Amino acid sequence: MNPTAGSLPRNAVRHRRVFVPVLAALAALAWVALWAWARSPYGRYLEHGDWTASGPAAFLCQAIPAGDVIVPAVLYASSWILMTAAMMLPTTLPLFNAFDRLTAGRADHARLLVLLGLGYMAVWGAFGLLAHGLHSAVLALLASAPTLAWHGWVIGAATIALAGAFQFSSLKHRCLEKCRTPLSFVIEHWRGHAQARQALALGMHHGLFCVGCCWALMLLMFALGTGSLGWMLLLAAVMALEKNVPWGHRLSAPLGFALLGWAVFMVAAHV
């Protein structure tokens, strides 16, 4: 009996019974954690505001050396990782699916999957730091310019218009195409040597394309409310459909028009 032929059904069964439920459970756990956090007395920390004004975070800021930097950074990183895991893990199921099948016969298969995920999340973490820096700069600008603060809606409208315009860009579609064909991506970049380093690099590489096609939609969370689970769910569903269903690419233009129309409506309502 050919052992290779016999191993394929076992791998398929393991994949169906273990891999998909585990990944789905991780995404569900992230959503539950976000829900519990949002409903707790510390839900305001998800909104990235008044971290150091009062409450436990303010106490820690005073008790820990350099706490006014470390505490907000830890809180922001925790909320961003949870939000990214909840919103992006379902969209990357095909990538993990393809990599899981390709490396199923390796003894270090589980470790390679973890490294793939770490690389992917590291890229989103770096994007989160940039977004947080931009958000902090905007808040500082609003605090220093009362006139601009009275017209804060302009920043919201500009963010929504930017997300709408990006839906029509060639960069969006090039990155989206890479995300929509994960098996080709894995086969193209996986060489099978220096496996740990390659798995991490593969996750980072794919994460770059994922950020490339979704960064503008993720920035919407700063305009709509970073602690809003409803908007998170809606945007996560849109991004998952764009990436993973055969007709997903047809959503890009209608979504772009809808966002641009929303921005125009906001401007018309304020002038």
Side-chain angles (χ1 to χ4, degrees), residues 126-138:
F127 171 74
L129 287 176
L130 289 175
H132 178 57
L134 177 63
H135 188 221
S136 297
V138 169

Side-chain angles (χ1 to χ4, degrees), residues 9-35:
R10 286 198 299 273
N11 288 337
V13 170
R14 181 201 61 79
H15 180 86
R16 187 175 65 251
R17 291 183 178 175
V18 178
F19 170 74
V20 174
V22 166
L23 198 61
L26 285 175
L29 185 62
W31 280 111
V32 170
L34 278 173
W35 176 80

Side-chain angles (χ1 to χ4, degrees), residues 117-176:
L118 287 176
Y120 179 83
M121 294 298 290
V123 173
W124 273 107
F127 171 74
L129 287 176
L130 289 175
H132 178 57
L134 177 63
H135 188 221
S136 297
V138 169
L139 292 179
L141 179 64
L142 291 176
S144 64
T147 304
L148 187 58
W150 278 102
H151 298 85
W153 63 269
V154 173
I155 296 174
T159 304
I160 294 170
L162 174 65
F166 188 69
Q167 289 294 108
F168 300 96
S169 71
S170 59
L171 176 61
K172 161 86 181 187
H173 291 285
R174 284 202 302 272
C175 292
L176 182 60

Side-chain angles (χ1 to χ4, degrees), residues 24-69:
L26 285 175
L29 185 62
W31 280 111
V32 170
L34 278 173
W35 176 80
W37 188 346
R39 292 180 62 85
S40 76
Y42 312 111
R44 66 183 185 281
Y45 297 140
L46 281 175
E47 297 287 349
H48 301 177
D50 291 334
W51 280 337
T52 60
S54 62
F59 171 77
L60 289 174
C61 286
Q62 296 175 358
I64 298 174
D68 57 337
V69 175

Side-chain angles (χ1 to χ4, degrees), residues 27-262:
L29 185 62
W31 280 111
V32 170
L34 278 173
W35 176 80
W37 188 346
R39 292 180 62 85
S40 76
Y42 312 111
R44 66 183 185 281
Y45 297 140
L46 281 175
E47 297 287 349
H48 301 177
D50 291 334
W51 280 337
T52 60
S54 62
F59 171 77
L60 289 174
C61 286
Q62 296 175 358
I64 298 174
D68 57 337
V69 175
I70 295 174
V71 173
V74 170
L75 285 172
Y76 173 75
S78 302
S79 64
W80 180 261
I81 289 171
L82 270 178
M83 187 171 76
T84 305
M87 296 179 71
M88 304 313 297
L89 274 183
T91 74
T92 57
L93 178 60
L95 168 70
F96 285 91
N97 189 14
F99 191 72
D100 177 66
R101 291 178 183 277
L102 190 68
T103 61
R106 294 177 179 271
D108 58 348
H109 162 249
R111 183 170 69 105
L112 296 180
L113 273 174
V114 171
L115 288 170
L116 178 77
L118 287 176
Y120 179 83
M121 294 298 290
V123 173
W124 273 107
F127 171 74
L129 287 176
L130 289 175
H132 178 57
L134 177 63
H135 188 221
S136 297
V138 169
L139 292 179
L141 179 64
L142 291 176
S144 64
T147 304
L148 187 58
W150 278 102
H151 298 85
W153 63 269
V154 173
I155 296 174
T159 304
I160 294 170
L162 174 65
F166 188 69
Q167 289 294 108
F168 300 96
S169 71
S170 59
L171 176 61
K172 161 86 181 187
H173 291 285
R174 284 202 302 272
C175 292
L176 182 60
E177 191 57 31
K178 291 289 185 181
C179 294
R180 287 176 54 82
T181 54
L183 180 58
S184 299
F185 183 86
V186 171
I187 292 175
E188 181 183 355
H189 294 90
W190 178 252
R191 297 291 179 268
H193 54 79
Q195 296 94 340
R197 181 168 56 82
Q198 256 199 49
L200 185 67
L202 189 69
M204 295 177 70
H205 198 168
H206 198 271
L208 283 174
F209 284 112
C210 191
V211 170
C213 75
C214 298
W215 66 270
L217 291 177
M218 287 295 280
L219 280 187
L220 284 177
M221 289 305 302
F222 290 91
L224 303 173
T226 51
S228 171
L229 295 187
W231 283 114
M232 284 186 208
L233 272 170
L234 181 60
L235 289 173
V238 168
M239 289 186 283
L241 290 173
E242 262 193 333
K243 288 182 179 181
N244 297 336
V245 300
W247 44 268
H249 63 283
R250 297 179 186 171
L251 283 177
S252 299
L255 179 60
F257 283 123
L259 290 170
L260 288 173
W262 187 5

